[in-house]
Amino acid sequence: MPKKMAGIQFYIELVNSEPIVWRRILVPDYYTFYQFHMAILGAFGWYNCHLFRFSENGFEDKVSYEELTYDNDLGEGYVIKDAKSNKIKPVFNKDGKAFTYIYDFGDHWQHAITRESAITDDIIRPFCLEGSGAWPPEDCGGMGGYAEMLQSINMPGHPERESYIEWLGLQPGETWNPYFCSTREVNKRLCLLEG
């Protein structure tokens, strides 16, 4: 049985989402940035098909936490820290600490992360307390593509409506609700992560 440890509560919002997409999650405080990345993926429904980056302000920052790959060389003056060996606790060391997480550098899913509090209860896995908004589907073209998708699927007769319905796997009569978030479904995904 995994060792029980304390945790950290985070508020994470998908930047410029319309409607607003956010999650409030708990993660063990011994997590690495890579484990935190996996928890965010689970909370937002992403599939880990793309690169990611944690930094204070996004791409402008000279220091980031990423998975080390063959193409991490960003040039002189940039420092990339290994997400698999660096822990989140020293960075998220006080309430209100804000950070940026970017997933999929093409679609540019930017998330604003804020540490809300330390949790003294035993936390061995990530857990979603609450949330709002459906996550945009992977590879839909960023926020602009998602807005176009929402407009298309809600407009009978739109030339791309049927292809979006098929792509999303919607059954006849089923609709895509951009405001809906099932914390139960989120936690089903999160429980698959190892602590």
Side-chain angles (χ1 to χ4, degrees):
M1 177 147 178
K3 183 179 178 184
K4 293 184 177 184
M5 304 278 290
I8 303 173
Q9 179 175 308
F10 290 98
Y11 174 82
I12 306 171
E13 184 176 308
L14 186 56
V15 175
N16 296 324
S17 55
E18 182 57 45
I20 294 174
V21 179
W22 62 270
R23 306 288 184 263
R24 178 166 282 116
I25 66 171
L26 303 175
V27 299
D29 66 0
Y30 60 82
Y31 259 22
T32 64
F33 276 92
Y34 185 80
Q35 289 169 305
F36 191 28
H37 153 72
M38 294 302 292
I40 295 170
L41 292 180
F44 282 84
W46 310 123
Y47 294 113
N48 200 25
C49 300
H50 302 282
L51 297 173
F52 68 92
R53 162 185 264 236
F54 289 93
S55 63
E56 289 209 43
N57 302 297
F59 285 123
E60 310 84 59
D61 291 321
K62 299 277 187 177
V63 177
S64 63
Y65 297 85
E66 304 178 30
E67 186 172 11
L68 298 182
T69 66
Y70 65 90
D71 60 350
N72 279 124
D73 185 17
L74 299 176
E76 189 176 331
Y78 287 89
V79 176
I80 298 173
K81 297 185 177 187
D82 185 5
K84 289 186 174 181
S85 61
N86 282 275
K87 308 265 184 193
I88 63 171
K89 188 175 179 179
V91 174
F92 292 101
N93 55 8
K94 62 182 179 181
D95 294 352
K97 176 70 176 183
F99 231 63
T100 297
Y101 167 76
I102 299 171
Y103 172 67
D104 184 349
F105 297 167
D107 280 3
H108 193 83
W109 301 114
Q110 183 168 325
H111 305 69
I113 301 171
T114 305
R115 173 186 149 147
E116 291 188 315
S117 60
I119 305 297
T120 57
D121 297 341
D122 290 332
I123 306 291
I124 60 169
R125 280 195 168 60
F127 184 79
C128 182
L129 298 168
E130 57 184 334
S132 181
W135 66 86
E138 190 102 25
D139 297 325
C140 71
M143 291 312 305
Y146 184 53
E148 183 180 308
M149 184 200 90
L150 291 177
Q151 182 181 20
S152 300
I153 62 174
N154 291 318
M155 187 184 299
H158 191 283
E160 294 181 32
R161 183 172 191 261
E162 292 306 315
S163 63
Y164 277 121
I165 287 172
E166 183 179 333
W167 180 55
L168 293 169
L170 298 176
Q171 300 301 314
E174 188 179 9
T175 59
W176 178 271
N177 182 349
Y179 298 93
F180 180 71
C181 171
S182 167
T183 54
R184 184 175 148 208
E185 290 301 314
V186 169
N187 283 314
K188 278 167 109 177
R189 286 193 304 274
L190 291 176
C191 80
L192 299 174
L193 299 176
E194 293 186 23

